[in-house]
Amino acid sequence: MTCPYEKWLSQYIDGELPPEKRNQIRTHLDSCDICRTEYNTLTGLDIQLRSLPEIEPSEGFERAFWKKVADWEERKERSAFRAFFGRGWRPYVVSGMAALMIVFGLHFFNLAAPAPTPEDVMMAEQMDLLLDYDIISHLELLENWEAITAVGEPS
């Protein structure tokens, strides 16, 4: 069984909590056996760890450590270079070639399109008329417009 206050015990022991939270934990420890047992265990470990002698690194430790880090970074850069130029470049080349073919194809087909004829230009200018189906469906009446208007006129 766990208590939600257990996560604060380590910070309480190290003195890292604000005063209001510290007072809240102190009051809680008086009433919770689980947290009190965990607190006693952690303080015991803390006392034992603080009693251990401090270990000094060897004379060349820092220099050897940073050399290993530099070697590791260099190996990582070389492997990235090899991965790109060894086998990783192929998808980039294929993608580039596909893009180049698309651009060339669009340009080629754009150049191959025939220039519009005068009839095409005239038809485009008359497009509004051609789209109006009611007028086109009664076109034969418009062809005889003079005869129709003559019939309706009083003589």
Side-chain angles (χ1 to χ4, degrees):
M1 185 168 192
T2 62
C3 178
Y5 284 89
E6 278 184 288
K7 63 184 177 186
W8 301 104
L9 290 177
S10 181
Q11 293 173 339
Y12 174 76
I13 293 168
D14 293 339
E16 298 173 350
L17 294 176
E20 62 275 355
K21 190 69 170 176
R22 189 165 176 73
N23 291 335
Q24 185 181 9
I25 298 294
R26 187 179 303 124
T27 305
H28 178 74
L29 283 172
D30 293 337
S31 63
C32 181
D33 292 333
I34 295 170
C35 287
R36 194 171 32 255
T37 303
E38 184 68 19
Y39 171 77
N40 291 334
T41 303
L42 288 174
T43 52
L45 285 172
D46 192 46
I47 291 168
Q48 287 179 353
L49 287 174
R50 291 179 193 269
S51 68
L52 292 173
E54 189 172 322
I55 300 173
E56 290 292 325
S58 64
E59 187 177 311
F61 174 78
E62 187 175 353
R63 185 171 29 92
F65 172 78
W66 288 114
K67 183 173 177 358
K68 285 182 183 181
V69 169
D71 291 345
W72 181 76
E73 287 290 330
E74 185 179 332
R75 276 195 313 269
K76 191 169 97 173
E77 287 175 10
R78 277 187 292 180
S79 67
F81 182 78
R82 260 189 254 127
F84 180 75
F85 287 107
R87 65 183 179 283
W89 58 271
R90 290 183 186 121
Y92 298 111
V93 170
V94 171
S95 299
M97 291 299 288
L100 190 61
M101 288 174 57
I102 290 171
V103 168
F104 177 74
L106 291 174
H107 182 69
F108 177 75
F109 287 116
N110 193 18
L111 291 178
T117 62
E119 292 84 22
D120 293 337
V121 173
M122 185 179 75
M123 186 180 288
E125 289 173 351
Q126 302 295 325
M127 190 57 81
D128 289 338
L129 179 64
L130 294 175
L131 292 177
D132 195 348
Y133 182 72
D134 290 335
I135 293 174
I136 293 173
S137 64
H138 300 293
L139 194 58
E140 70 278 353
L141 294 174
L142 294 175
E143 288 176 357
N144 299 323
W145 185 252
E146 290 175 3
I148 294 172
T149 53
V151 171
E153 291 180 6
S155 19

